Amino acid sequence: MCGIIGYCGPKPAAPILVEGLKRLEYRGYDSAGIGVLENDVLHLVKRAGKINDLRNALPDGLGGSFGIGHTRWATHGGVTDRNAHPHADGRGNLCIAHNGIIENYTALKRNLETKGYEFRSETDSEVIAHLIADLYDGDLERAVKSAVRLLKGTYGIVAMHRSEPGVLVGARNGSPLVLGVGHGEMLLASDVTAMLEHTKQVIYIEDGEVVRMTADDHRTTDTRDNRIDRSVETIGWDLEEIEKNGFDHYMEKEIFEQPESIRRAMQGRLDPDTATSHLGGLNMTNRELLDIERVKVIAAGTSYHAGLVASYLLESLARLPAGAELASELRYRNPIVERNNLYFAVSQSGETADTLYAMREIQRKGGRVLGICNVVGATIPRESDGGVYIHSGPEIAVASTKAFTSQLTAFYLFALLIARKRDMSYSAGLSFMRELERIPEKVQVVLDRAAAIREIAKKYAGAQSFLFLGRGINYAVALEGALKLKEISYIHAEGYSAAEIKHGPIALINEETPSLFIVPDDALRDKIISNMKEVKARNGKVIALGVDGDNELADIADDVMFVPSTNELLSPFLTVIPMQLLSYYTALERGCNVDQPRNLAKSVTVE
Ligand code: F6R
């Protein structure tokens, strides 16, 4: 969603801000702008559209060595130049950029209007600029603190004032802000990727904190002026990880990185001597792990699908009752939190508002929540009671791919750990572990077949509607396949249990609606084949995704894709890859913007 970047230092600010915004593009946005101070004049340049539109609109030779930038994902007000950030006060003395939603902006706006302030945009954010102007008495930091005390809602804010050149002030409540500490320069951003080119030394700003920075100094306090000292942390990501490295799209790169990212998620966490796993970050004793009576996964989108796989896995492998629920639903239904329930909040970004608020609700009721996250230092891992980092490296494409298989990896490690504490023998544990270790090379085998999947994508790229059907642990993969296709190719797609089609979806079947069946070599294979035949009998087109050697599939289906065979419970690692590739190639065929699909944001930080 929206992105913030601020810069104070010796270099010209505008190119640094624009480059920073470019790095934030992946989060999803519809307009962008920067504000820089040069020769006592506050220059605001804002454009609806892409960063390149903003770049083209910048005056030649725009100087000034401090400023702020923003990418906007519209919530209040249309996608226009005016609604883009930064927003200035009426006199052009100060400007702000804001992520989040100000819930009481109507009341604040009315009050400011009666004092003579004129609003120029339809946004909730503009109220912050006028509010700070109203409270300003020569000290920006103090004015920001007074202003945020009046705000209700979520915000990450950065502000600058003409009378205080070289000073930026940031404030956070619910929308991430990270301070980047460079040599003689300082950055403030909503996401570390925006500053990686300049520094890897960061301080995470927490909710309720205000940071004042200059090129060589920074100070963090709460809104009551109490000083907060937090140590500088080093970002573990490299610049080259956020480049495309020869791939056409980030999504393609991230799909093809999966053998390595899965391996990384497992690294150092498997112990053949005891046939179990080590997950140091859980912060739970052996006894506490043994006492778990039920696991509940809370998440959104693709991460929720990883949770569905996990719940099936935990019940089958570890014989532990488990379930997954959409975080957005759980939060508002007064969930029952029982002693010995263990919750997992799963989130690639670690900032998804629905998941974060659901997690806080569970914790408020006394529940223990572990995070499974990718972005180190994000809010969910920081607020959780423990957890597992999946170490996928930055996931830049909006459509999640490698994070999904790494989230699975974390759950498989956890399931093995619990299973071995309950009734799984050493030898059964070891053979499961060995097969898990073989997953990266089997994923590579599937990736090596990408060209064949591309041909299938070409054949069906004109479809209006698609069904994805799976059963058992692969039911969740069918849901994920449908989500992937719809979000990047804009083809209407539904995921169903193959058994369910005769309870409704079979009415959709005609020659134009392809059905993709996941047919692993398990106890339900023959039943799925019957479902495929039902579709064929109604002239539906069938694509089968089967296991190497299952030659019967070609006699029934119009097209067939194969994955290597593996343990039935591990099959989602392999069956999801063709789904990702099929979606990617279909989107390419249809000329869609693969990495930044319309209307979508990478990290959904509002409810
Ligand atoms: C789909 C996708 C989204 C995210 C969802 C949760 O490809 O990326 O559905 O999975 O928005 O995001 P995180 O995992 O960051 O909480």
Side-chain angles (χ1 to χ4, degrees):
M1 286 200 148
C2 308
I4 285 180
I5 172 88
Y7 176 80
C8 299
K11 302 173 194 148
I16 292 177
L17 296 174
V18 172
E19 273 317 303
L21 293 181
K22 208 69 201 135
R23 298 280 182 206
L24 294 173
E25 267 193 315
Y26 78 98
R27 297 174 66 96
Y29 73 108
D30 44 50
S31 45
I34 63 165
V36 289
L37 186 72
E38 187 188 23
N39 301 329
D40 202 31
V41 177
L42 195 54
H43 296 273
L44 292 191
V45 188
K46 319 198 287 183
R47 284 293 178 274
K50 291 290 167 195
I51 306 287
N52 282 343
D53 301 318
L54 171 68
R55 208 195 299 262
N56 294 336
L58 292 179
D60 285 340
L62 177 62
S65 62
F66 87 112
I68 64 178
H70 189 263
T71 45
R72 171 172 188 253
W73 190 84
T75 56
H76 295 60
V79 180
T80 62
D81 292 352
R82 263 176 190 245
N83 287 340
H85 300 213
H87 291 289
D89 68 321
R91 297 195 170 141
N93 280 338
L94 71 89
C95 66
I96 63 101
H98 163 233
N99 289 355
I101 291 180
I102 304 303
E103 286 161 9
N104 60 339
Y105 85 100
T106 318
L108 292 170
K109 182 175 174 180
R110 212 173 294 131
N111 187 31
L112 287 160
E113 279 173 335
T114 59
K115 292 183 175 182
Y117 290 92
E118 279 178 31
F119 283 72
R120 298 192 200 100
S121 76
E122 305 152 309
T123 65
D124 55 331
S125 307
E126 190 185 347
V127 81
I128 303 169
H130 297 297
L131 196 56
I132 296 174
D134 192 50
L135 296 163
Y136 188 74
D137 63 358
D139 183 338
L140 182 61
E141 185 186 6
R142 193 158 56 222
V144 169
K145 283 181 183 167
S146 308
V148 297
R149 282 203 287 266
L150 301 173
L151 300 180
K152 289 209 175 74
T154 53
Y155 52 81
I157 300 168
V158 59
M160 61 191 270
H161 199 289
R162 206 160 61 89
S163 307
E164 295 176 60
V167 176
L168 292 186
V169 177
R172 170 188 165 144
N173 182 46
S175 280
L177 270 189
V178 189
L179 175 74
V181 183
H183 295 293
E185 59 184 1
M186 222 60 87
L187 296 104
L188 190 67
S190 49
D191 180 327
V192 294
T193 52
M195 57 176 69
L196 212 48
E197 252 165 294
H198 306 278
T199 182
K200 287 175 135 192
Q201 305 300 307
V202 299
I203 294 176
Y204 295 97
I205 308 300
E206 303 277 355
D207 282 353
E209 293 179 359
V210 174
V211 57
R212 179 189 189 275
M213 63 192 245
T214 57
D216 44 27
D217 196 20
H218 60 87
R219 176 176 70 208
T220 306
T221 48
D222 64 19
T223 54
R224 303 274 164 211
D225 275 339
N226 298 307
R227 184 145 189 153
I228 290 152
D229 284 315
R230 191 160 296 116
S231 51
V232 177
E233 295 177 42
T234 304
I235 307 168
W237 291 350
D238 290 323
L239 192 56
E240 75 167 25
E241 287 184 277
I242 58 170
E243 308 282 5
K244 286 197 198 122
N245 287 340
F247 286 93
D248 289 335
H249 298 96
Y250 284 110
M251 182 175 179
E252 184 191 17
K253 173 180 174 244
E254 288 157 10
I255 290 173
F256 281 86
E257 273 174 358
Q258 288 176 104
E260 192 43 41
S261 53
I262 296 170
R263 223 173 257 130
R264 237 185 352 248
M266 279 184 216
Q267 213 160 37
R269 289 170 164 170
L270 284 170
D271 177 9
D273 288 341
T274 52
T276 188
S277 67
H278 295 300
L279 294 167
L282 299 182
N283 296 337
M284 290 177 76
T285 62
N286 263 333
R287 176 51 61 94
E288 285 170 331
L289 288 166
L290 194 61
D291 284 347
I292 301 168
E293 283 170 9
R294 183 175 296 277
V295 165
K296 185 84 175 246
V297 182
I298 51 175
T302 291
S303 298
Y304 165 68
H305 296 153
L308 285 177
V309 173
S311 51
Y312 194 100
L313 171 75
L314 283 163
E315 293 207 339
S316 301
L317 193 78
R319 305 302 297 147
L320 180 64
E325 186 169 348
L326 291 169
S328 50
E329 289 304 318
L330 176 126
R331 180 189 178 197
Y332 289 106
R333 62 164 186 77
N334 197 14
I336 298 165
V337 176
E338 286 173 318
R339 202 176 295 276
N340 295 342
N341 279 9
L342 178 66
Y343 290 83
F344 279 99
V346 185
S347 174
Q348 184 284 131
S349 62
E351 299 292 351
T352 299
D354 290 325
T355 309
L356 175 63
Y357 298 155
M359 166 172 132
R360 286 180 181 160
E361 176 68 0
I362 299 295
Q363 286 174 320
R364 194 192 56 73
K365 285 174 175 252
R368 186 199 291 261
V369 187
L370 303 181
I372 293 193
C373 297
N374 189 30
V375 179
V376 175
T379 311
I380 292 174
R382 275 185 297 122
E383 291 192 16
S384 58
D385 301 293
V388 186
Y389 277 120
I390 59 175
H391 302 307
S392 302
E395 192 180 66
I396 307 285
V398 162
S400 188
T401 53
K402 64 175 178 173
F404 176 78
T405 45
S406 297
Q407 288 164 348
L408 292 191
T409 310
F411 275 125
Y412 280 76
L413 295 173
F414 179 75
L416 179 63
L417 179 76
I418 300 300
R420 286 282 294 122
K421 289 194 190 307
R422 293 163 76 102
D423 65 355
M424 190 184 222
S425 68
Y426 170 80
S427 57
L430 194 63
S431 84
F432 190 81
M433 178 191 296
R434 292 299 182 217
E435 191 53 25
L436 180 61
E437 285 172 322
R438 275 194 285 271
I439 287 298
E441 74 206 46
K442 292 190 176 181
V443 167
Q444 188 59 55
V445 171
V446 186
L447 291 170
D448 291 343
R449 298 173 182 175
I453 297 172
R454 185 167 197 163
E455 289 309 310
I456 295 177
K458 278 188 191 156
K459 188 166 164 189
Y460 294 99
Q464 302 277 322
S465 194
F466 233 102
L467 289 178
F468 288 80
L469 304 149
R471 294 200 69 173
I473 201 162
N474 279 295
Y475 165 53
V477 177
L479 297 182
E480 175 59 8
L483 175 62
K484 266 321 61 107
L485 189 72
K486 75 179 83 155
E487 68 181 326
I488 60 164
S489 75
Y490 316 141
I491 296 176
H492 168 250
E494 296 203 37
Y496 262 95
S497 157
E500 277 289 303
I501 53 165
K502 45 193 178 310
H503 298 292
I506 202 159
L508 297 172
I509 298 300
N510 60 25
E511 286 116 62
E512 269 93 53
T513 306
S515 303
L516 191 157
F517 283 86
I518 306 172
V519 200
D521 189 13
D522 62 20
L524 292 173
R525 176 189 172 275
D526 293 347
K527 296 201 183 296
I528 298 177
I529 298 239
S530 301
N531 299 140
M532 278 168 58
K533 287 182 177 163
E534 286 157 13
V535 170
K536 280 307 298 172
R538 285 155 185 86
N539 295 324
K541 290 270 180 292
V542 168
I543 306 166
L545 171 58
V547 172
D548 284 344
D550 192 347
N551 298 327
E552 194 193 340
L553 295 179
D555 300 336
I556 308 163
D558 297 278
D559 291 279
V560 193
M561 307 185 274
F562 290 106
V563 295
S565 90
T566 183
N567 178 304
E568 174 187 336
L569 288 176
L570 290 164
S571 63
F573 279 110
L574 306 182
T575 53
V576 77
I577 307 291
M579 310 283 157
Q580 299 170 346
L581 289 168
L582 185 74
S583 306
Y584 172 68
Y585 291 129
T586 304
L588 283 191
E589 286 300 314
R590 292 167 69 96
C592 301
N593 183 341
V594 177
D595 284 337
Q596 290 158 34
R598 70 179 178 212
N599 305 337
L600 286 178
K602 179 67 182 161
S603 163
V604 184
T605 49
V606 293
E607 273 193 276

